Amino acid sequence: MGVTIKDIAALCGVSPGTVDRALNHRPGISEKTKARILQVAEQMNYQPDHMARSLAKGRTMTIGVVLFDLYNRSFSQLMNSIEAASRQQGYFVDLVLTNKDPENEKKCIEHLLLRKVDGIIIFAINQGEAFNDYLKSLSIPVVTICNYVSDDWSYIGIDDREAMKEAVRYICGKQYERFIYVCPPLAYRGKTNIYTQEERLAGCLEGLKESGIEAQPTVITDKDYIGSISRMDFGSGTKTAIICSCDIYALEVMNHLKGRGLRIPDDVGLMGFDNIDVLKYVSPALTTVEYAVEEFGSRAVQCVIEQIEQGTRTLVPRLPYQVITGDST
């Protein structure tokens, strides 16, 4: 039989309640006593009884997470952050992937409800009043991340429109004359929730306009965006910049341009968005927009646990971002 809180309490000469406060870092205990209890717990190799804790609290100590997929490195980084922050607070994570299918997203949510998760963090692909009412009907804490649903839910994200606008203004300062915008998810406009991508496009258009660029950019929404770019001429002498709504598109475009013998940025400028961790291996260094994706995860966990344990909902201000000026523009 494992070591219990009562065992630690007896050894330290304190009550089980005091041990519980120390182990869960709650107030009402001196730092000296807390340090002694934590030391004894470590020496005795104490392991929390999560089942007993769940029964006592009436919870499963589990947070459900709904994402599209994990192909984008920023999603992987986000998921790592959510898992680490949850574990630190004594919660486990149940991850489901929707594959960008609105109906599958609801099935994933129903799965989490059957698993009795205490709250849900969702990168939604559904949208609209009907979906908002559906989330309300769940009677469970929900935090939305990146794709906005409504003000009824805590939302974690950056101001994507302003971030892209600032990045495009920087690009325009490089005297580019022709602009190509790559964003395959825009093909789903009006069909699914692509709030983040729509905001980035709006920021691009506003940034060009505010910089005095009258010509509209060529917007590529094809899934085979490399095929579309392969049919374009970059040798006409018109200084061209390709702006990608995500780094993963920019990396594919960079590989294609290099394969054609085009120099970046001498022949074509290139910009991404997200500053995913693999960019440190890329040459030339990609101009992109950086935000703390790890903070997205920790803030989302903080918000959902606050709702679970205190029944209160925090409105989180938009998180910071910065334009990273690389050698690709």
PDB file of all heavy atoms in Angstrom, residues 259-282:
ATOM      1  N   GLY A 259      14.341  25.481 -55.365  1.00  0.00           N
ATOM      2  CA  GLY A 259      14.393  24.455 -56.401  1.00  0.00           C
ATOM      3  C   GLY A 259      14.370  25.040 -57.801  1.00  0.00           C
ATOM      4  O   GLY A 259      14.880  24.422 -58.748  1.00  0.00           O
ATOM      5  N   ARG A 260      13.803  26.222 -57.948  1.00  0.00           N
ATOM      6  CA  ARG A 260      13.756  26.894 -59.247  1.00  0.00           C
ATOM      7  C   ARG A 260      14.987  27.765 -59.483  1.00  0.00           C
ATOM      8  O   ARG A 260      15.104  28.432 -60.512  1.00  0.00           O
ATOM      9  CB  ARG A 260      12.494  27.757 -59.348  1.00  0.00           C
ATOM     10  CG  ARG A 260      11.223  26.953 -59.493  1.00  0.00           C
ATOM     11  CD  ARG A 260       9.982  27.836 -59.427  1.00  0.00           C
ATOM     12  NE  ARG A 260       9.902  28.833 -60.492  1.00  0.00           N
ATOM     13  CZ  ARG A 260       8.863  29.646 -60.667  1.00  0.00           C
ATOM     14  NH1 ARG A 260       7.813  29.565 -59.844  1.00  0.00           N
ATOM     15  NH2 ARG A 260       8.856  30.534 -61.640  1.00  0.00           N
ATOM     16  N   GLY A 261      15.878  27.772 -58.495  1.00  0.00           N
ATOM     17  CA  GLY A 261      17.089  28.576 -58.635  1.00  0.00           C
ATOM     18  C   GLY A 261      16.872  30.046 -58.348  1.00  0.00           C
ATOM     19  O   GLY A 261      17.722  30.891 -58.692  1.00  0.00           O
ATOM     20  N   LEU A 262      15.741  30.395 -57.714  1.00  0.00           N
ATOM     21  CA  LEU A 262      15.455  31.791 -57.375  1.00  0.00           C
ATOM     22  C   LEU A 262      16.104  32.153 -56.048  1.00  0.00           C
ATOM     23  O   LEU A 262      16.118  31.353 -55.114  1.00  0.00           O
ATOM     24  CB  LEU A 262      13.943  32.015 -57.297  1.00  0.00           C
ATOM     25  CG  LEU A 262      13.201  31.867 -58.629  1.00  0.00           C
ATOM     26  CD1 LEU A 262      11.708  31.760 -58.403  1.00  0.00           C
ATOM     27  CD2 LEU A 262      13.521  33.053 -59.542  1.00  0.00           C
ATOM     28  N   ARG A 263      16.636  33.359 -55.979  1.00  0.00           N
ATOM     29  CA  ARG A 263      17.319  33.808 -54.770  1.00  0.00           C
ATOM     30  C   ARG A 263      16.346  34.556 -53.869  1.00  0.00           C
ATOM     31  O   ARG A 263      15.543  35.375 -54.337  1.00  0.00           O
ATOM     32  CB  ARG A 263      18.487  34.720 -55.134  1.00  0.00           C
ATOM     33  CG  ARG A 263      19.572  34.062 -55.984  1.00  0.00           C
ATOM     34  CD  ARG A 263      20.497  35.105 -56.558  1.00  0.00           C
ATOM     35  NE  ARG A 263      19.743  36.046 -57.403  1.00  0.00           N
ATOM     36  CZ  ARG A 263      20.236  37.225 -57.812  1.00  0.00           C
ATOM     37  NH1 ARG A 263      21.455  37.590 -57.468  1.00  0.00           N
ATOM     38  NH2 ARG A 263      19.492  38.008 -58.583  1.00  0.00           N
ATOM     39  N   ILE A 264      16.435  34.249 -52.568  1.00  0.00           N
ATOM     40  CA  ILE A 264      15.591  34.902 -51.567  1.00  0.00           C
ATOM     41  C   ILE A 264      16.499  35.760 -50.685  1.00  0.00           C
ATOM     42  O   ILE A 264      17.461  35.245 -50.100  1.00  0.00           O
ATOM     43  CB  ILE A 264      14.872  33.859 -50.687  1.00  0.00           C
ATOM     44  CG1 ILE A 264      14.064  32.890 -51.558  1.00  0.00           C
ATOM     45  CG2 ILE A 264      13.982  34.520 -49.651  1.00  0.00           C
ATOM     46  CD1 ILE A 264      13.538  31.680 -50.805  1.00  0.00           C
ATOM     47  N   PRO A 265      16.293  37.057 -50.600  1.00  0.00           N
ATOM     48  CA  PRO A 265      15.177  37.837 -51.141  1.00  0.00           C
ATOM     49  C   PRO A 265      15.478  38.572 -52.449  1.00  0.00           C
ATOM     50  O   PRO A 265      14.661  39.395 -52.885  1.00  0.00           O
ATOM     51  CB  PRO A 265      14.969  38.855 -50.021  1.00  0.00           C
ATOM     52  CG  PRO A 265      16.363  39.170 -49.563  1.00  0.00           C
ATOM     53  CD  PRO A 265      17.120  37.854 -49.672  1.00  0.00           C
ATOM     54  N   ASP A 266      16.634  38.329 -53.066  1.00  0.00           N
ATOM     55  CA  ASP A 266      17.020  39.112 -54.246  1.00  0.00           C
ATOM     56  C   ASP A 266      16.005  39.009 -55.381  1.00  0.00           C
ATOM     57  O   ASP A 266      15.673  40.018 -56.024  1.00  0.00           O
ATOM     58  CB  ASP A 266      18.400  38.650 -54.744  1.00  0.00           C
ATOM     59  CG  ASP A 266      19.492  38.902 -53.715  1.00  0.00           C
ATOM     60  OD1 ASP A 266      19.352  39.869 -52.937  1.00  0.00           O
ATOM     61  OD2 ASP A 266      20.467  38.130 -53.672  1.00  0.00           O
ATOM     62  N   ASP A 267      15.522  37.781 -55.628  1.00  0.00           N
ATOM     63  CA  ASP A 267      14.535  37.596 -56.696  1.00  0.00           C
ATOM     64  C   ASP A 267      13.102  37.646 -56.168  1.00  0.00           C
ATOM     65  O   ASP A 267      12.205  38.186 -56.820  1.00  0.00           O
ATOM     66  CB  ASP A 267      14.767  36.248 -57.390  1.00  0.00           C
ATOM     67  CG  ASP A 267      16.129  36.186 -58.070  1.00  0.00           C
ATOM     68  OD1 ASP A 267      16.545  37.210 -58.662  1.00  0.00           O
ATOM     69  OD2 ASP A 267      16.786  35.138 -57.994  1.00  0.00           O
ATOM     70  N   VAL A 268      12.873  37.065 -54.989  1.00  0.00           N
ATOM     71  CA  VAL A 268      11.537  37.014 -54.378  1.00  0.00           C
ATOM     72  C   VAL A 268      11.688  37.167 -52.861  1.00  0.00           C
ATOM     73  O   VAL A 268      12.485  36.457 -52.248  1.00  0.00           O
ATOM     74  CB  VAL A 268      10.813  35.678 -54.673  1.00  0.00           C
ATOM     75  CG1 VAL A 268       9.372  35.737 -54.163  1.00  0.00           C
ATOM     76  CG2 VAL A 268      10.838  35.346 -56.144  1.00  0.00           C
ATOM     77  N   GLY A 269      10.910  38.078 -52.281  1.00  0.00           N
ATOM     78  CA  GLY A 269      10.869  38.198 -50.826  1.00  0.00           C
ATOM     79  C   GLY A 269       9.864  37.217 -50.253  1.00  0.00           C
ATOM     80  O   GLY A 269       8.917  36.802 -50.937  1.00  0.00           O
ATOM     81  N   LEU A 270      10.053  36.821 -49.000  1.00  0.00           N
ATOM     82  CA  LEU A 270       9.178  35.804 -48.407  1.00  0.00           C
ATOM     83  C   LEU A 270       8.955  36.082 -46.928  1.00  0.00           C
ATOM     84  O   LEU A 270       9.908  36.361 -46.189  1.00  0.00           O
ATOM     85  CB  LEU A 270       9.800  34.420 -48.591  1.00  0.00           C
ATOM     86  CG  LEU A 270       9.020  33.210 -48.076  1.00  0.00           C
ATOM     87  CD1 LEU A 270       7.690  33.069 -48.815  1.00  0.00           C
ATOM     88  CD2 LEU A 270       9.852  31.940 -48.246  1.00  0.00           C
ATOM     89  N   MET A 271       7.700  35.975 -46.496  1.00  0.00           N
ATOM     90  CA  MET A 271       7.363  36.188 -45.087  1.00  0.00           C
ATOM     91  C   MET A 271       6.393  35.116 -44.611  1.00  0.00           C
ATOM     92  O   MET A 271       5.514  34.685 -45.367  1.00  0.00           O
ATOM     93  CB  MET A 271       6.719  37.564 -44.879  1.00  0.00           C
ATOM     94  CG  MET A 271       6.512  37.923 -43.413  1.00  0.00           C
ATOM     95  SD  MET A 271       5.498  39.409 -43.201  1.00  0.00           S
ATOM     96  CE  MET A 271       3.841  38.711 -43.313  1.00  0.00           C
ATOM     97  N   GLY A 272       6.550  34.677 -43.367  1.00  0.00           N
ATOM     98  CA  GLY A 272       5.637  33.723 -42.760  1.00  0.00           C
ATOM     99  C   GLY A 272       4.898  34.329 -41.583  1.00  0.00           C
ATOM    100  O   GLY A 272       4.822  35.558 -41.441  1.00  0.00           O
ATOM    101  N   PHE A 273       4.368  33.465 -40.724  1.00  0.00           N
ATOM    102  CA  PHE A 273       3.624  33.926 -39.546  1.00  0.00           C
ATOM    103  C   PHE A 273       3.563  32.753 -38.561  1.00  0.00           C
ATOM    104  O   PHE A 273       3.159  31.667 -38.932  1.00  0.00           O
ATOM    105  CB  PHE A 273       2.200  34.335 -39.939  1.00  0.00           C
ATOM    106  CG  PHE A 273       1.485  35.214 -38.938  1.00  0.00           C
ATOM    107  CD1 PHE A 273       1.212  36.542 -39.220  1.00  0.00           C
ATOM    108  CD2 PHE A 273       1.073  34.710 -37.706  1.00  0.00           C
ATOM    109  CE1 PHE A 273       0.540  37.347 -38.317  1.00  0.00           C
ATOM    110  CE2 PHE A 273       0.413  35.504 -36.800  1.00  0.00           C
ATOM    111  CZ  PHE A 273       0.139  36.820 -37.100  1.00  0.00           C
ATOM    112  N   ASP A 274       3.989  32.959 -37.333  1.00  0.00           N
ATOM    113  CA  ASP A 274       3.928  32.006 -36.208  1.00  0.00           C
ATOM    114  C   ASP A 274       5.284  31.836 -35.508  1.00  0.00           C
ATOM    115  O   ASP A 274       5.332  31.536 -34.328  1.00  0.00           O
ATOM    116  CB  ASP A 274       3.436  30.597 -36.593  1.00  0.00           C
ATOM    117  CG  ASP A 274       1.967  30.557 -36.952  1.00  0.00           C
ATOM    118  OD1 ASP A 274       1.203  31.395 -36.446  1.00  0.00           O
ATOM    119  OD2 ASP A 274       1.589  29.679 -37.763  1.00  0.00           O
ATOM    120  N   ASN A 275       6.382  31.972 -36.267  1.00  0.00           N
ATOM    121  CA  ASN A 275       7.729  31.741 -35.737  1.00  0.00           C
ATOM    122  C   ASN A 275       7.825  30.385 -35.049  1.00  0.00           C
ATOM    123  O   ASN A 275       8.204  30.276 -33.877  1.00  0.00           O
ATOM    124  CB  ASN A 275       8.167  32.851 -34.763  1.00  0.00           C
ATOM    125  CG  ASN A 275       9.677  32.878 -34.568  1.00  0.00           C
ATOM    126  OD1 ASN A 275      10.432  32.443 -35.435  1.00  0.00           O
ATOM    127  ND2 ASN A 275      10.130  33.378 -33.433  1.00  0.00           N
ATOM    128  N   ILE A 276       7.488  29.325 -35.790  1.00  0.00           N
ATOM    129  CA  ILE A 276       7.570  27.968 -35.241  1.00  0.00           C
ATOM    130  C   ILE A 276       9.026  27.618 -34.932  1.00  0.00           C
ATOM    131  O   ILE A 276       9.954  28.177 -35.514  1.00  0.00           O
ATOM    132  CB  ILE A 276       6.949  26.935 -36.210  1.00  0.00           C
ATOM    133  CG1 ILE A 276       7.613  26.996 -37.593  1.00  0.00           C
ATOM    134  CG2 ILE A 276       5.449  27.162 -36.324  1.00  0.00           C
ATOM    135  CD1 ILE A 276       7.087  25.964 -38.576  1.00  0.00           C
ATOM    136  N   ASP A 277       9.223  26.682 -34.038  1.00  0.00           N
ATOM    137  CA  ASP A 277      10.559  26.421 -33.504  1.00  0.00           C
ATOM    138  C   ASP A 277      11.563  25.913 -34.535  1.00  0.00           C
ATOM    139  O   ASP A 277      12.768  26.090 -34.379  1.00  0.00           O
ATOM    140  CB  ASP A 277      10.489  25.464 -32.312  1.00  0.00           C
ATOM    141  CG  ASP A 277       9.742  24.170 -32.605  1.00  0.00           C
ATOM    142  OD1 ASP A 277       9.365  23.948 -33.770  1.00  0.00           O
ATOM    143  OD2 ASP A 277       9.534  23.382 -31.666  1.00  0.00           O
ATOM    144  N   VAL A 278      11.108  25.288 -35.625  1.00  0.00           N
ATOM    145  CA  VAL A 278      12.053  24.744 -36.606  1.00  0.00           C
ATOM    146  C   VAL A 278      12.689  25.835 -37.464  1.00  0.00           C
ATOM    147  O   VAL A 278      13.627  25.554 -38.224  1.00  0.00           O
ATOM    148  CB  VAL A 278      11.377  23.699 -37.523  1.00  0.00           C
ATOM    149  CG1 VAL A 278      10.894  22.515 -36.714  1.00  0.00           C
ATOM    150  CG2 VAL A 278      10.242  24.318 -38.322  1.00  0.00           C
ATOM    151  N   LEU A 279      12.232  27.069 -37.367  1.00  0.00           N
ATOM    152  CA  LEU A 279      12.798  28.135 -38.191  1.00  0.00           C
ATOM    153  C   LEU A 279      14.269  28.392 -37.883  1.00  0.00           C
ATOM    154  O   LEU A 279      14.984  28.960 -38.705  1.00  0.00           O
ATOM    155  CB  LEU A 279      12.002  29.441 -38.008  1.00  0.00           C
ATOM    156  CG  LEU A 279      10.573  29.468 -38.551  1.00  0.00           C
ATOM    157  CD1 LEU A 279      10.025  30.888 -38.505  1.00  0.00           C
ATOM    158  CD2 LEU A 279      10.478  28.891 -39.953  1.00  0.00           C
ATOM    159  N   LYS A 280      14.706  27.979 -36.698  1.00  0.00           N
ATOM    160  CA  LYS A 280      16.113  28.198 -36.357  1.00  0.00           C
ATOM    161  C   LYS A 280      17.049  27.396 -37.258  1.00  0.00           C
ATOM    162  O   LYS A 280      18.249  27.649 -37.297  1.00  0.00           O
ATOM    163  CB  LYS A 280      16.357  27.840 -34.893  1.00  0.00           C
ATOM    164  CG  LYS A 280      16.032  26.403 -34.526  1.00  0.00           C
ATOM    165  CD  LYS A 280      16.122  26.195 -33.016  1.00  0.00           C
ATOM    166  CE  LYS A 280      15.663  24.804 -32.605  1.00  0.00           C
ATOM    167  NZ  LYS A 280      15.652  24.636 -31.125  1.00  0.00           N
ATOM    168  N   TYR A 281      16.495  26.414 -37.986  1.00  0.00           N
ATOM    169  CA  TYR A 281      17.310  25.594 -38.885  1.00  0.00           C
ATOM    170  C   TYR A 281      17.232  26.070 -40.338  1.00  0.00           C
ATOM    171  O   TYR A 281      17.815  25.445 -41.225  1.00  0.00           O
ATOM    172  CB  TYR A 281      16.852  24.135 -38.830  1.00  0.00           C
ATOM    173  CG  TYR A 281      16.857  23.542 -37.439  1.00  0.00           C
ATOM    174  CD1 TYR A 281      15.670  23.188 -36.814  1.00  0.00           C
ATOM    175  CD2 TYR A 281      18.049  23.348 -36.750  1.00  0.00           C
ATOM    176  CE1 TYR A 281      15.662  22.641 -35.532  1.00  0.00           C
ATOM    177  CE2 TYR A 281      18.050  22.808 -35.467  1.00  0.00           C
ATOM    178  CZ  TYR A 281      16.853  22.461 -34.871  1.00  0.00           C
ATOM    179  OH  TYR A 281      16.860  21.925 -33.597  1.00  0.00           O
ATOM    180  N   VAL A 282      16.489  27.159 -40.586  1.00  0.00           N
ATOM    181  CA  VAL A 282      16.179  27.577 -41.955  1.00  0.00           C
ATOM    182  C   VAL A 282      17.091  28.720 -42.398  1.00  0.00           C
ATOM    183  O   VAL A 282      17.384  29.638 -41.629  1.00  0.00           O
ATOM    184  CB  VAL A 282      14.705  28.025 -42.044  1.00  0.00           C
ATOM    185  CG1 VAL A 282      14.400  28.611 -43.409  1.00  0.00           C
ATOM    186  CG2 VAL A 282      13.780  26.850 -41.756  1.00  0.00           C
TER     187      VAL A 282
END
